[in-house]
Amino acid sequence: MQPFTTLTAIAAPIDEPNVDTNQLCPTRFNKVPRGPGHARILFHDRRFDADGKQKDFILDRDPFSRAQIIVADRNWGCGSSRESAVYALYEFGVRCVIASSFGDIHANNCSKNGLLPVVLADAEVAAIRKQLHAQPGATLTVDLAQQTVTDAAGQVHRFDIHPVRKKCLLEGLDDIARTQQYLERFEIFEEAYRRERPWLYTAAP
Amino acid sequence: MAAQTMFEKIWDRHVLVGEEGELLLYVDRALIHEGSSHAFAALDRQQRKVARPQQIFAFTDHYVPTTGRDKGIEGIAIPEIRNMVIKQHANAAKHGIRLFGFDDPGQGILHIVPPEQGITQPGLVICGADSHTSTHGAFGCLAFGIGASEMMHVMSTQTIWQRKPRTLRIVVDGKTGFGVSSKDVILAIIAKIGVAGGVGHVIEYAGSTIAGMSMEARMTVCNMSIEGGARAGMVAPDDITFEYMEGRPYAPKGGAWHDAMTYWKMLPSDANAVFDREVALDATQIAPMVTWGTNPEQTLPVTGRIPDPESAVNDVQRSEYAAALDYMGLAAGTALADIAIDRVFIGSCTNSRIEDIRAAAEVAKLGRAKVPAWVVPGSQTVKAQAEREGLDKVLLAAGFEWREPGCSLCTAINGDQLQPGERCASTSNRNFRGRQGTGGRTHLVSPAMAAAAALTGRLTDVRDLMKSH
Ligand code: SF4
């Protein structure tokens, strides 16, 4: 996983709440193996008409087409667990989404792929989106170590992140290596657990 | 010991180790489907093995066609879809995973088959490669959906890192009225708490309404927990649960059954257990529900009218309403019961169990479908039982189509899909833009309401239809 430390980049405001993962990656693209093609899949049906022509979605307008940060509203990434929604964001170039809340599964999927989900208050995301509309192309700075977002007006917003998630993102650690340290404990646990619930392991019919 | 919720009892028994509040949980069972190809690709890339293949179960459901199965896998018309199914069968064989595959007599949706087979049991931690894994919580287990990276982790370690969610108890009391189903109950719950209302929480559904429900109905309720933002929903196991489970293929037998029961009976939340939040609903006030917009909280009783964006509580909601009406092609003030529909879909992991098919057939008896209406049973087991009961005949005689099991029009990746602008009354769980096909418009309803819509060609209060006969 690519580490996430600090990022200063153009940010795109997406005003609507409840952007579901079907919007980020329409279902028919779920089967596409992960790759650069996912850049075009992001918000596909909002961006392209049936003939593949652009519809003038915000992420296709300059300077937002170069955005690496999205500032959204509440409940970003609700709905389906599809990780292809994260592949689409990532391949488009997005490394950080700021919203007032996230679909739980999507937020996990983001942080397992080096994409930082930042939660700020409703009023903060609304204010930052307003700035970005007023000054298209303005950059934000996200500093994970400090847990801050510096907005276009220079105001600093602090965010919370779980210390373990923070460490994994900062260092680009994947979970399996972490889990494998506990192999011995796993075996002891499992043996006791199986003894306690033998009915779970009776052979399949 | 302090009083505990059911969730806490299950959670605590599965924690292996903690790192600053991120906990490593033992996973009893994991459920995957054709779309889990990303997880297998990651396993292969890292040259990892499946740690406990006997605890992973695979299902052919998302991509499988719902007609023309007699020609076998090679007969699947669309090459990309055929490849997904072939690849899944190869991956399952390679890793020694039990696959309820294309030709399996138990084939069906990953949230329909495990309960039927007795794979879903109280007290377990179940992870699924799909957000509606919450369905299984109806048995009093902790079941939640995860993405491909997490599934790869589960497959290679049989564990998952999680932070402890908060608990939300939703108590529904009272007897539901005539024509009101468990689907209407969960839609009413989502309308009340909102699509983000359960974020970060595990829901326990309780109260006399839930206690009086069949397992099928409880599964419909738990299924849509994710539509309220919660990853998991649960119902305490009771005699209804045990009666449903007894004798199922993977359920314990003989002495083991009694040992298991002893444990299962200790699971329900203690009487004075404290939840982080509580919400109460009066079931007697719930009417048959219909969604009018593009997310499941945009729901009203069928007797209602399309809301005016001007009535919204703030600017964000106003533009959200306006965008939803624009996408749905609806005008503010229109009575829901005046909205003409083009198609009907009865199916999905929300509503494709035997009781759902029975409810649809009961209504279908009263007339003939005016628009194309599909019935897609959730599994071969449901299909066979429905056919034994003659429900297929009833539905076919009323002009409905009776198809092969799978996800079908719920997520529209198997070739079944709406055309742009088509309006569908659907028993599935998501009315998101494009969910049933690019440009398709979805109204979520119960199976009885869907069948009623088929007979009239518009959204219809099933109570009126049934009373007039
Ligand atoms: S029926 Fe729909 S919601 Fe259920 S598992 Fe299939 S695609 Fe997902």
Side-chain angles (χ1 to χ4, degrees):
Chain A
M1 185 170 92
Q2 196 70 21
F4 185 106
T5 51
T6 62
L7 173 67
T8 298
I10 293 175
I14 293 188
D15 295 322
E16 61 191 279
N18 306 317
V19 171
D20 59 79
T21 53
N22 269 79
Q23 309 308 308
L24 300 178
C25 175
T27 314
R28 63 186 184 283
F29 298 115
N30 280 354
K31 58 184 173 306
V32 178
R34 183 174 188 168
H38 274 91
R40 190 181 160 88
I41 289 172
L42 178 67
F43 278 115
H44 184 280
D45 294 352
R46 310 289 291 277
R47 288 167 62 201
F48 303 103
D49 66 16
D51 303 321
K53 277 211 284 301
Q54 277 188 3
K55 293 204 265 197
D56 197 36
F57 188 70
I58 184 161
L59 291 178
D60 288 318
R61 281 179 236 149
D62 193 62
F64 299 124
S65 56
R66 288 175 282 134
Q68 288 180 272
I69 301 171
I70 286 176
V71 183
D73 195 81
R74 76 184 134 78
N75 206 25
W76 171 271
C78 59
S80 153
S81 59
R82 65 192 63 180
E83 203 154 306
S84 47
V86 179
Y87 309 156
L89 285 164
Y90 198 91
E91 296 299 334
F92 187 87
V94 176
R95 293 291 177 273
C96 172
V97 177
I98 304 173
S100 60
S101 60
F102 284 82
D104 288 327
I105 306 175
H106 180 70
N108 281 347
N109 291 343
C110 283
S111 67
K112 309 272 158 162
N113 284 278
L115 199 154
L116 175 67
V118 170
V119 177
L120 293 179
D122 277 311
E124 291 177 293
V125 289
I128 298 175
R129 288 200 315 266
K130 214 166 149 190
Q131 286 176 354
L132 297 172
H133 281 296
Q135 307 168 51
T139 60
L140 303 182
T141 296
V142 182
D143 184 333
L144 177 55
Q146 297 301 320
Q147 298 179 217
T148 56
V149 174
T150 308
D151 68 20
Q155 198 183 329
V156 177
H157 307 262
R158 259 196 75 77
F159 62 88
D160 284 334
I161 182 168
H162 191 275
V164 175
R165 279 297 115 217
K166 177 175 172 177
K167 179 167 184 264
C168 289
L169 277 159
L170 280 172
E171 296 175 19
L173 293 180
D174 85 61
D175 286 332
I176 292 194
R178 202 152 60 96
T179 307
Q180 280 169 341
Q181 303 163 38
Y182 300 112
L183 205 59
E184 203 175 317
R185 194 174 296 207
F186 175 87
E187 276 163 9
I188 296 165
F189 175 97
E190 196 180 48
E191 206 196 298
Y193 187 88
R194 286 183 174 231
R195 228 180 303 118
E196 189 184 305
R197 301 181 193 192
W199 65 84
L200 284 175
Y201 305 94
T202 43
Chain B
M1 202 159 82
Q4 281 188 306
T5 64
M6 174 166 56
F7 160 74
E8 283 161 339
K9 294 180 193 181
I10 298 172
W11 177 271
D12 287 354
R13 187 60 195 94
H14 286 82
V15 172
L16 272 154
V17 67
E19 284 185 357
E20 300 178 73
E22 205 170 87
L23 303 162
L24 190 62
L25 292 185
Y26 185 73
V27 176
D28 292 292
R29 284 168 182 183
L31 313 173
I32 58 176
H33 56 84
E34 302 99 305
S36 303
S37 52
H38 292 292
F40 281 113
L43 273 181
D44 286 347
R45 245 190 336 265
Q46 301 185 19
Q47 299 182 324
R48 294 187 190 282
K49 286 215 303 255
V50 175
R52 297 286 179 267
Q54 282 171 344
Q55 289 169 245
I56 318 284
F57 297 87
F59 304 87
T60 304
D61 53 4
H62 280 63
Y63 287 84
V64 71
T66 53
T67 54
R69 296 266 186 95
D70 44 334
K71 288 170 241 110
I73 295 184
E74 295 301 332
I76 300 176
I78 305 170
E80 283 176 300
I81 290 176
R82 184 169 63 236
N83 286 339
M84 288 298 284
V85 176
I86 291 173
K87 204 159 76 183
Q88 182 198 29
H89 283 63
N91 274 329
K94 173 176 162 192
H95 293 281
I97 292 168
R98 170 70 166 103
L99 169 68
F100 291 84
F102 189 88
D103 289 323
D104 196 285
Q107 180 265 334
I109 304 174
L110 80 164
H111 309 311
I112 303 282
V113 177
E116 286 171 352
Q117 297 287 337
I119 293 168
T120 304
Q121 296 179 11
L124 302 186
V125 169
I126 299 178
C127 292
D130 183 282
S131 58
H132 292 100
T133 305
S134 57
T135 311
H136 305 269
F139 289 79
C141 55
L142 177 62
F144 53 91
I146 57 178
S149 297
E150 290 187 309
M151 186 50 83
M152 197 271 270
H153 186 279
V154 170
M155 290 202 287
S156 53
T157 67
Q158 207 56 36
T159 61
I160 189 164
W161 289 98
Q162 291 284 299
R163 264 158 284 151
K164 194 172 181 177
R166 291 184 291 276
T167 52
L168 164 60
R169 178 160 59 184
I170 298 183
V171 180
V172 191
D173 276 314
K175 200 171 147 33
T176 47
F178 169 72
V180 177
S181 73
S182 57
K183 178 67 163 285
D184 303 303
V185 171
I186 185 62
L187 284 172
I189 289 172
I190 295 163
K192 179 161 178 144
I193 68 171
V195 285
V199 170
H201 291 78
V202 164
I203 299 175
E204 179 172 337
Y205 300 96
S208 63
T209 315
I210 307 290
M213 283 181 181
S214 66
M215 288 316 294
E216 283 86 351
R218 292 177 190 178
M219 283 190 258
T220 300
V221 171
C222 288
N223 174 273
M224 288 188 73
S225 301
I226 185 77
E227 268 65 60
R231 286 175 76 184
M234 326 172 84
V235 175
D238 60 10
D239 288 343
I240 295 174
T241 319
F242 308 141
E243 201 176 300
Y244 176 99
M245 290 181 61
E246 195 167 6
R248 305 236 166 217
Y250 283 78
K253 314 260 165 10
W257 171 259
H258 292 283
D259 294 345
M261 282 264 270
T262 310
Y263 168 66
W264 294 339
K265 285 185 171 166
M266 298 179 337
L267 288 169
S269 295
D270 299 331
N272 42 353
V274 179
F275 292 79
D276 295 308
R277 270 173 69 205
E278 300 252 8
V279 169
L281 261 83
D282 177 357
T284 64
Q285 298 302 308
I286 299 173
M289 305 292 280
V290 184
T291 64
W292 55 267
T294 53
N295 74 45
E297 90 183 34
Q298 294 173 334
T299 294
L300 283 169
V302 60
T303 48
R305 288 178 181 275
I306 300 293
D308 188 339
E310 292 313 310
S311 69
V313 295
N314 57 36
D315 285 349
V316 170
Q317 194 183 64
R318 189 167 307 121
S319 55
E320 198 186 4
Y321 277 19
L325 293 189
D326 179 54
Y327 181 82
M328 294 297 288
L330 294 170
T334 308
L336 286 170
D338 286 340
I339 297 172
I341 50 148
D342 303 306
R343 296 179 63 159
V344 167
F345 170 59
I346 298 168
S348 90
C349 57
T350 314
N351 283 128
S352 64
R353 285 169 277 269
I354 189 67
E355 286 190 358
D356 303 314
I357 313 287
R358 284 183 197 137
E362 195 59 36
V363 175
K365 272 185 197 150
L366 306 177
R368 243 198 107 69
K370 285 199 176 139
V371 294
W374 289 10
V375 185
V376 182
S379 67
Q380 297 291 357
T381 308
V382 172
K383 183 166 183 262
Q385 167 144 16
E387 289 173 356
R388 276 197 302 277
E389 295 179 17
L391 303 176
D392 58 325
K393 302 253 164 32
V394 172
L395 290 160
L396 288 165
F400 289 62
E401 254 190 69
W402 181 244
R403 299 175 79 99
E404 295 289 336
C407 296
S408 182
L409 206 45
C410 170
T411 194
I413 37 171
N414 70 335
D416 300 344
Q417 60 184 33
L418 298 184
Q419 296 308 307
E422 264 192 323
R423 188 181 299 286
C424 183
S426 175
T427 66
S428 53
N429 42 54
R430 286 189 175 136
N431 51 341
F432 297 157
R433 292 186 175 108
R435 170 78 179 186
Q436 295 191 288
T438 309
R441 294 161 170 163
T442 303
H443 295 277
L444 302 178
V445 290
S446 73
M449 286 282 287
L455 300 191
T456 62
R458 57 183 169 75
L459 297 175
T460 299
D461 190 336
V462 65
R463 297 171 299 187
D464 297 343
L465 192 85
M466 294 188 75
K467 272 186 228 140
S468 65
H469 279 82

